[in-house]
Amino acid sequence: MMREWWVQVGLLAVPLLAAYLHIPPPQLSPALHSWKSSGKFFTYKGLRIFYQDSVGVVGSPEIVVLLHGFPTSSYDWYKIWEGLTLRFHRVIALDFLGFGFSDKPRPHHYSIFEQASIVEALLRHLGLQSRRINLLSHDYGDTVAQELLYRFKQNRSGRLTIKSLCLSNGGIFPETHRPLLLQKLLKDGGMLSPILTRLMNFFVFSRGLTPVFGPYTRPSESELWDMWAGIRNNDGNLVIDSLLQYINQRKKFRRRWVGALASVSIPIHFIYGPLDPVNPYPEFLELYRKTLPRSTVSILDDHISHYPQLEDPMGFLNAYMGFINSF
């Protein structure tokens, strides 16, 4: 009798699970839809990459390029976008390959090196490859910025000319980086990873991401749905385990990427939300100051965490403008 009960439950579960795993991605909210329609696409090696390019203040030659974090997209910058257009002539952001509205090929060997090459290709596409670029980055984008900096220092052909670099909450030091449990499971799950990425749903995602926001600056349900819609677009949940290999790449290429920061002569700044569980205070900051004594740092309010540009957009913008106006 018991066995038959299990068989029945099993038979019931199969169609439910099948339906569950083919839940269509959520509809884009009006805000996210207008972000997408105001953006453009360019093609890198046959892959479509989404980007935003706004012309801001007239008469300024300044260009800022924004590099977003994991697992989100260029939409992370929307709260400071308008503020940046009041100071820069061009404000440019892209969705990295595997993120947001960009293509998400699978299987694919996602790497920080390829993302850096995509940034270079975008600036060539826009005819800006010979201009001096201010880079503003967050999280995963910090590591892409470090690789761009390395290429700039090595005088590689096709490299960007970097005028300044501003990093924000990101694991630039593998030794003070504390990945989330979900990240660890997906990164090193082996055979389990593809199953876990299919089982990933909004509930799991929102429970996983909310702890990296401060207690008073948690995203609303609709903001979380916007982030989830960006992930689910082009079945992005199925490439999360491949994207997460960047954590292992950071360990492997620590000398190259931390070295690029440590030996640089351009103005460099770090905007830090100190409540970040992923890059904890004070260990992270102590190591940063020791490794990069020439860099300046802005520490935001005590309760600001891993997503400072979303949690405290005014504080973030003020810190960034203070840096840009200092040289």
Side-chain angles (χ1 to χ4, degrees), residues 241-314:
D241 52 330
S242 322
L243 289 172
L244 273 168
Q245 296 313 313
Y246 79 92
I247 295 178
N248 299 335
Q249 289 164 23
R250 275 179 181 160
K251 288 196 180 97
K252 187 174 174 187
F253 298 104
R254 183 197 188 279
R255 181 178 289 173
R256 174 189 182 108
W257 289 336
V258 175
L261 285 176
S263 57
V264 78
S265 51
I266 59 163
I268 189 160
H269 191 68
F270 197 99
I271 302 176
Y272 185 48
L275 201 59
D276 188 354
V278 186
N279 305 284
Y281 179 88
E283 305 92 293
F284 169 80
L285 205 56
E286 283 165 5
L287 184 58
Y288 184 86
R289 288 197 154 127
K290 195 175 94 191
T291 315
L292 292 150
R294 311 220 332 251
S295 171
T296 46
V297 177
S298 296
I299 304 175
L300 301 178
D301 287 348
D302 290 353
H303 62 86
I304 303 300
S305 185
H306 184 68
Y307 269 92
Q309 74 278 45
L310 288 171
E311 297 181 54
D312 182 11
M314 284 317 296

Side-chain angles (χ1 to χ4, degrees), residues 5 23 125 127 143 175 203 215 247 251 275 289 296:
W5 178 77
I23 295 173
H125 171 76
T143 311
E175 56 273 45
F203 181 80
I247 295 178
K251 288 196 180 97
L275 201 59
R289 288 197 154 127
T296 46

Side-chain angles (χ1 to χ4, degrees), residues 20 52 74 76 93 110 116 152 196 282-283 321:
Y20 169 62
Q52 286 283 2
S74 60
D76 289 351
Y110 288 91
F152 168 59
L196 288 170
E283 305 92 293
M321 291 311 171

Side-chain angles (χ1 to χ4, degrees), residues 90-302:
R90 295 283 279 279
V91 182
I92 297 161
L94 75 161
D95 286 356
F96 290 124
L97 186 70
F99 294 84
F101 295 123
S102 291
D103 278 355
K104 298 170 178 177
R106 60 174 208 277
H108 182 81
H109 174 66
Y110 288 91
S111 81
I112 294 294
F113 301 101
E114 181 179 45
Q115 306 287 16
S117 299
I118 290 171
V119 177
E120 293 172 340
L122 171 59
L123 287 157
R124 274 198 302 282
H125 171 76
L126 296 173
L128 300 172
Q129 67 274 36
S130 57
R131 302 281 294 277
R132 297 173 75 209
I133 304 295
N134 299 287
L135 286 180
L136 173 56
S137 62
H138 174 240
D139 187 73
Y140 181 91
D142 288 350
T143 311
V144 179
Q146 286 171 273
E147 173 58 22
L148 289 165
L149 196 59
Y150 177 83
R151 296 177 187 188
F152 168 59
K153 289 195 63 233
Q154 298 291 315
N155 223 337
R156 295 276 177 92
S157 65
R159 63 171 173 72
L160 300 189
T161 306
I162 300 170
K163 181 178 181 180
S164 74
L165 169 59
C166 180
L167 307 152
S168 59
N169 294 62
I172 54 178
F173 307 116
E175 56 273 45
T176 58
H177 181 249
R178 310 270 177 272
L180 303 172
L181 175 66
L182 198 59
Q183 288 183 312
K184 285 191 206 141
L185 282 174
L186 290 168
K187 172 173 74 80
D188 301 318
M191 297 299 288
L192 275 178
S193 294
I195 300 166
L196 288 170
T197 55
R198 280 209 177 265
L199 289 172
M200 177 86 131
N201 63 5
F202 175 71
F203 181 80
V204 173
F205 164 74
S206 55
R207 291 300 166 284
L209 197 69
T210 310
V212 304
F213 286 80
Y216 312 112
T217 48
R218 295 259 155 98
S220 67
E221 190 85 348
S222 64
E223 287 174 314
L224 282 163
W225 273 107
D226 282 342
M227 292 174 178
W228 179 238
I231 291 172
R232 279 298 316 271
N233 184 64
N234 295 336
D235 290 326
N237 51 308
L238 304 182
V239 301
I240 280 188
D241 52 330
S242 322
L243 289 172
L244 273 168
Q245 296 313 313
Y246 79 92
I247 295 178
N248 299 335
Q249 289 164 23
R250 275 179 181 160
K251 288 196 180 97
K252 187 174 174 187
F253 298 104
R254 183 197 188 279
R255 181 178 289 173
R256 174 189 182 108
W257 289 336
V258 175
L261 285 176
S263 57
V264 78
S265 51
I266 59 163
I268 189 160
H269 191 68
F270 197 99
I271 302 176
Y272 185 48
L275 201 59
D276 188 354
V278 186
N279 305 284
Y281 179 88
E283 305 92 293
F284 169 80
L285 205 56
E286 283 165 5
L287 184 58
Y288 184 86
R289 288 197 154 127
K290 195 175 94 191
T291 315
L292 292 150
R294 311 220 332 251
S295 171
T296 46
V297 177
S298 296
I299 304 175
L300 301 178
D301 287 348
D302 290 353

